[in-house]
Amino acid sequence: MMTEQDGGTRRRDADATRGRILEAARGLFARDGYRATTVKRIATEAGVSPNLITRYFGGKDGLFLAVSRPEVAVGDVYVGDLDGFGERLATSIVRRWAGQAGEDPLLVLLRASGERPEAAQSLARFMDANSTHPLERYLSACGLDEADARARAAAIDALILGVTTRLRILQSELGDVDDLERWLGAAIQRLASAG
């Protein structure tokens, strides 16, 4: 007969096992992409049986969805004058890159977007909701007309996506993060500023 304490122990063990699976999958999907990452590799990395991945996540697809839910804390990026915007956004981006190794859920989505249409759709929705639309609203609030704000937001997103692909997906070295912040901040500022 199982006691309440035994059930609590099992729950903690199941939670710990799910956590190990998620951590292993996040790293492998981000580093190697969806296609190259197998259930067996994830299970081996997590130190579990492959059937636990099916039990907890319904298989590779369910596990992929569980690890590819990115969050971006923008903090005070959209607070302040347009003159300092490029620096604020660049600092936020580069700190995220420097602070998250290969396990960044955005990298998981970006790597998989060429292999899986649902990953590309999810990435596009995420970018629209968390980057393009807030950026358009901010630029409009700074005095740019709607069409100009939309065009500049799209250009900034394209720049950031290109730099992200080069530095994070193609795994180029970030180099000196202060230099990268300065360069990226200046580029973003040129794209954001009116005139």
Side-chain angles (χ1 to χ4, degrees):
M1 176 177 240
M2 186 166 65
T3 67
E4 190 174 313
Q5 185 176 8
D6 293 331
T9 301
R10 279 193 183 164
R11 169 55 44 210
R12 283 192 301 275
D13 290 347
D15 289 345
T17 300
R18 283 177 58 89
R20 285 197 321 272
I21 293 169
L22 286 167
E23 183 179 337
R26 191 173 292 115
L28 288 168
F29 282 135
R31 189 172 49 251
D32 301 331
Y34 180 87
R35 190 171 293 139
T37 300
T38 64
V39 167
K40 184 176 182 190
R41 282 185 66 208
I42 296 166
T44 300
E45 182 88 11
V48 301
S49 169
N51 64 355
L52 286 178
I53 292 171
T54 303
R55 176 200 241 172
Y56 292 137
F57 300 99
K60 182 177 170 180
D61 285 342
L63 182 54
F64 174 79
L65 292 174
V67 300
S68 60
R69 291 193 177 99
E71 295 176 12
V72 174
V74 294
D76 294 333
V77 168
Y78 296 113
V79 176
D81 292 334
L82 184 58
D83 288 344
F85 175 71
E87 180 182 340
R88 291 190 309 272
L89 183 56
T91 298
S92 173
I93 292 166
V94 174
R95 285 185 184 162
R96 179 185 173 90
W97 291 341
Q100 292 196 3
E103 293 79 25
D104 186 344
L106 276 174
L107 291 183
V108 173
L109 279 177
L110 191 54
R111 279 191 184 280
S113 64
E115 300 172 341
R116 304 187 51 77
E118 63 271 22
Q121 293 164 358
S122 182
L123 181 60
R125 282 191 306 271
F126 175 83
M127 293 297 290
D128 286 346
N130 293 278
S131 182
T132 310
H133 296 313
L135 183 50
E136 283 178 38
R137 287 190 297 273
Y138 173 76
L139 293 173
S140 291
C142 289
L144 277 70
D145 68 58
E146 190 176 310
D148 196 20
R150 187 178 313 110
R152 289 174 187 272
I156 291 168
D157 270 358
L159 170 69
I160 292 168
L161 195 56
V163 173
T164 300
T165 299
R166 179 65 188 169
L167 295 180
R168 302 300 311 277
I169 300 300
L170 301 179
Q171 299 179 355
S172 296
E173 289 294 320
L174 287 180
D176 183 281
V177 293
D178 293 332
D179 287 343
L180 179 58
E181 276 184 32
R182 279 190 292 279
W183 173 85
L184 187 58
I188 291 169
Q189 193 64 49
R190 280 192 297 276
L191 291 171
S193 294

